[in-house]
Amino acid sequence: MITVEHLSKKFGELVVLKDISIEIKTGEVISIIGPSGTGKSTFLRCLNLLDQPSGGTIHVDGVNILDAKVDVPKIRQKMNMVFQSFNLFSHLTVLENLTIAPIKLRGMNRLDAEQKSRELLKLVGLAEKADNYPDELSGGQKQRVAIARCLAMEPEIILFDEPTSALDPTMVSEVLSVIRRLAKDGMTMAIVTHEMAFARDVSNRVLYMDEGLIYEEGTPEQIFENPQKEKTRAFINRVRSFNYQISSPDYDLYAMNAEIEAFCEKQILPRKTRDNLLLLVEELLQMYTPFLQTTLLDMTLSYSEKKESLELVLESAGETVNPLDTALLPDELGLNIIKSLTESIDYHCVDNKNRLTLMMKKN
Amino acid sequence: MEMQILKDAHATVVTITGRLDAVTAPEYEKRLNDLIAGEETGFVVDFEGLDYISSAGLRVLLATAKKLKVKGGQVRFANVRGTVKEVFDISGFGSIFQMDDSVAAALAKIA
C-alpha cells in the first residue's frame, strides 16, 4: 500500500530523518514509538506531505506522491491524519466539522454527508453532540470528533500523531477504545504514540525510532519483550542513566555522593536504596583505588523504572584485572558488603576494558 | 563526622556522629591512637548519632581495638543500630565486639 524508500528530511542544517525505508501493507496497524525529538511526527507529516521530504521516495498504491504533478488533496483523502491538538474548526458545529470536507472536496450532497456524519458520530459515541461546538466538548470528545471527521473522508489509511498526548489521563481510554475498534474493523493505521500498553495491544508491528532512523522494528512481542538493540532496551525499560568519571585516587567522594543522591531523588528512589547504593559505590571505589593512579574509571548507574532495578557498570582500561579478585584485596570486609548488597556480579574484559557489572538487590 | 570525647571515671566515652567512611576513618583512627598512646585503656564508643559506616570505618574500629588489646585495654560499642548495625552484621562484627544497648550499660560493664 505504502512504500517508503530512503526518506530524509532536513530543516536547514538540522537532519530530522536520515534514511527511512518501510513498507506498510493494507490492514496493518503500525505503532511508532521512541523518545521525543527523534522524527516520529515528522515522518508522519512527510507521508501526508504536510512536510516536504528532502530526499527519498514515497509510493502509495504504486503512485510516486513526491511527483510534482501529483494531486495532493486526493492523496490526503486516501491517507488522512488525526493530530495531537485535534485541529477542529471552532466556528463550525461538530456535524459541520464532519461534513465540510466531503461536501467541498468530494462533491457529496449535504443530506448524504450529514447522514453519513451522524453514523460516524454514533460510531465514536458522540451522536448527541452533533449540534454542539468544539469548545463545548471535553478533550477526549474533541479527539473522537477529529477521528470521525477523518473517517468522513473514507480514507484507506489513517495517520495518528500522538492522538492522546494532549488529553487529561481520564480521557485517554475513550480515544484509545475508538482506535482499537478501527483496528478491529481492519483499518490500516500508523500511530505515533507514547501509550506503550496500547501500542503493544493494538499493533501488528512496532517501529522504534531514534536518531532519525527506524532503529529497530518487530512484532509487539519482539520489541516489548525482547528488544535487541541497546537504545530500544533502554527506552522500553524506561532506563535512566547517570555517568561519573574518576581519574585520580584523590577523587572527591562527597561531590560524587551528592550527584548520586540527586540522581536517586530524581528517580524517586527510597532512602534505603540510596543509602545502599552510596555504600556499594564507596566499597567499589575502595577496591579500584590502587588502579586509579594509572587508569580512568568510568562508572554508569542505570535505573530501570519498569523493572525497578539498579545496575552499576564500572569500566577501566589498563591491565586485565578483576578488582574484586580476593587475591588483590587486603581483607574481605568490602567484598562481603558488596556481595550482600548485590544480586549479581559479573566481570568481563571487553575491547581491552575491564567491565564489572553489578545488579543491586531490591529492598 | 564529628567526634566528642568525654572522660568518665572508668572509661573514655567517644561519641561519633555522621559518617565513618573512607574520608573520615583516618581522623577516627588518629584520635583513638592518640588516646591509647596517652595510656587510656577503657573505651565506650557511642554510635547513636552515626548514620553511615563503610568497610573503611570497620577497619579502623578493628585496628584501634587490636591496638588497645595489646595494651590490655578494652572497648565496648553502644547504640549500634539501623544501617550501621546491618553493616556490622554483614561483616560479622556483631560477634567480634562487645555491644551494649546504651552508654550507661557499657560503662557499667567496664567498671
Side-chain angles (χ1 to χ4, degrees):
Chain A
M1 182 178 197
I2 300 177
T3 307
V4 177
E5 284 177 320
H6 306 298
L7 181 74
S8 64
K9 175 65 185 171
K10 288 182 195 169
F11 292 101
E13 292 298 302
L14 182 69
V15 180
V16 178
L17 299 178
K18 283 183 191 159
D19 183 4
I20 304 267
S21 294
I22 185 180
E23 194 175 345
I24 301 174
K25 291 178 185 147
T26 303
E28 269 198 306
V29 177
I30 294 180
S31 288
I32 304 165
I33 61 168
S36 298
T38 49
K40 305 183 298 294
S41 295
T42 303
F43 173 52
L44 284 197
R45 292 175 67 84
C46 282
L47 286 182
N48 206 19
L49 300 178
L50 289 172
D51 282 328
Q52 190 64 28
S54 308
T57 59
I58 304 171
H59 285 85
V60 177
D61 293 334
V63 177
N64 177 12
I65 67 167
L66 300 181
D67 189 325
K69 293 174 199 157
V70 82
D71 182 352
V72 173
K74 202 167 182 183
I75 293 297
R76 291 201 184 121
Q77 284 176 36
K78 272 191 179 185
M79 193 161 45
N80 215 337
M81 190 151 171
V82 173
F83 301 89
Q84 180 180 342
S85 49
F86 328 127
N87 295 5
L88 297 177
F89 298 113
S90 60
H91 63 294
L92 300 180
T93 64
V94 165
L95 189 68
E96 287 163 347
N97 263 281
L98 265 68
T99 56
I100 186 169
I103 292 170
K104 294 209 172 199
L105 291 173
R106 301 183 70 200
M108 214 171 177
N109 75 57
R110 181 168 300 277
L111 273 180
D112 288 347
E114 285 188 0
Q115 190 192 343
K116 169 88 180 159
S117 296
R118 286 185 194 281
E119 283 170 20
L120 290 171
L121 285 173
K122 205 172 168 187
L123 179 80
V124 298
L126 290 170
E128 61 176 7
K129 300 289 184 186
D131 298 321
N132 287 77
Y133 283 88
D135 287 349
E136 297 169 319
L137 307 178
S138 70
Q141 289 171 333
K142 282 181 196 169
Q143 193 60 296
R144 283 188 281 153
V145 171
I147 294 171
R149 181 180 64 174
C150 179
L151 293 169
M153 292 300 282
E154 296 180 355
E156 291 173 20
I157 175 167
I158 304 180
L159 311 177
F160 287 90
D161 186 10
E162 299 193 29
T164 58
S165 293
L167 299 179
D168 186 299
T170 57
M171 296 172 186
V172 169
S173 63
E174 64 188 76
V175 172
L176 295 185
S177 63
V178 168
I179 302 174
R180 271 200 180 91
R181 178 163 179 184
L182 295 176
K184 213 172 161 188
D185 292 345
M187 174 62 77
T188 311
M189 296 190 281
I191 310 162
V192 170
T193 184
H194 290 289
E195 298 285 339
M196 295 298 124
F198 169 72
R200 182 186 178 134
D201 193 28
V202 81
S203 324
N204 312 111
R205 193 149 52 115
V206 179
L207 312 182
Y208 173 73
M209 278 187 72
D210 208 327
E211 300 173 345
L213 297 164
I214 296 173
Y215 184 83
E216 188 168 350
E217 68 169 286
T219 63
E221 290 73 25
Q222 284 166 340
I223 296 294
F224 289 102
E225 293 294 335
N226 192 21
Q228 296 299 305
K229 295 190 175 178
E230 192 182 334
K231 285 193 175 181
T232 321
R233 276 201 293 271
F235 181 80
I236 295 297
N237 293 323
R238 300 196 292 279
V239 175
R240 309 277 178 272
S241 295
F242 163 80
N243 183 267
Y244 199 88
Q245 287 194 336
I246 296 162
S247 55
S248 150
D250 301 319
Y251 60 89
D252 186 342
L253 177 69
Y254 293 163
M256 186 194 63
N257 280 355
E259 289 198 37
I260 293 174
E261 288 202 56
F263 173 79
C264 292
E265 260 176 47
K266 214 170 165 184
Q267 314 311 322
I268 325 174
L269 298 182
R271 168 114 222 139
K272 180 73 184 153
T273 305
R274 198 185 334 171
D275 289 346
N276 286 348
L277 180 61
L278 291 174
L279 181 59
L280 176 64
V281 170
E282 186 190 331
E283 295 305 340
L284 286 164
L285 292 186
Q286 285 285 295
M287 295 182 177
Y288 272 94
T289 299
F291 307 103
L292 293 175
Q293 262 329 334
T294 53
T295 187
L296 183 104
L297 178 65
D298 194 61
M299 181 174 77
T300 305
L301 174 65
S302 302
Y303 174 66
S304 165
E305 196 185 328
K306 190 180 172 194
K307 295 181 178 171
E308 294 183 343
S309 63
L310 263 170
E311 185 191 66
L312 198 58
V313 177
L314 296 106
E315 276 193 342
S316 58
E319 60 177 313
T320 303
V321 61
N322 178 358
L324 302 192
D325 184 347
T326 47
L328 301 170
L329 304 175
D331 56 48
E332 294 193 13
L333 283 176
L335 187 60
N336 287 339
I337 293 174
I338 290 169
K339 282 180 179 169
S340 75
L341 295 172
T342 52
E343 59 182 39
S344 68
I345 302 172
D346 184 46
Y347 167 79
H348 279 299
C349 186
V350 184
D351 300 331
N352 292 325
K353 280 188 172 176
N354 297 295
R355 182 186 290 170
L356 196 59
T357 305
L358 303 100
M359 191 63 78
M360 276 195 75
K361 266 185 195 161
K362 290 175 189 171
N363 288 326
Chain B
M1 180 194 68
E2 280 183 29
M3 285 178 75
Q4 194 183 22
I5 294 159
L6 286 172
K7 296 201 175 172
D8 189 80
H10 305 287
T12 299
V13 179
V14 179
T15 306
I16 49 176
T17 53
R19 299 169 56 93
L20 192 55
D21 56 23
V23 177
T24 58
E27 185 193 342
Y28 174 91
E29 187 170 31
K30 183 181 180 310
R31 295 198 58 185
L32 264 286
N33 283 345
D34 287 349
L35 290 167
I36 294 165
E39 303 306 321
E40 298 286 346
T41 53
F43 288 89
V44 172
V45 183
D46 182 6
F47 287 81
E48 174 91 66
L50 195 73
D51 305 318
Y52 177 95
I53 192 165
S54 66
S55 67
L58 296 179
R59 276 187 206 99
V60 294
L61 293 181
L62 197 60
T64 50
K66 277 183 182 169
K67 200 165 265 184
L68 198 57
K69 198 173 178 186
V70 170
K71 291 207 167 192
Q74 66 162 317
V75 60
R76 300 188 75 90
F77 294 162
N79 300 316
V80 179
R81 300 193 187 105
T83 51
V84 175
K85 171 88 165 47
E86 284 173 25
V87 178
F88 265 59
D89 291 342
I90 293 163
S91 315
F93 269 42
S95 54
I96 297 173
F97 290 100
Q98 293 169 307
M99 319 274 271
D100 297 293
D101 290 338
S102 67
V103 171
L107 285 171
K109 285 177 187 162
I110 278 189

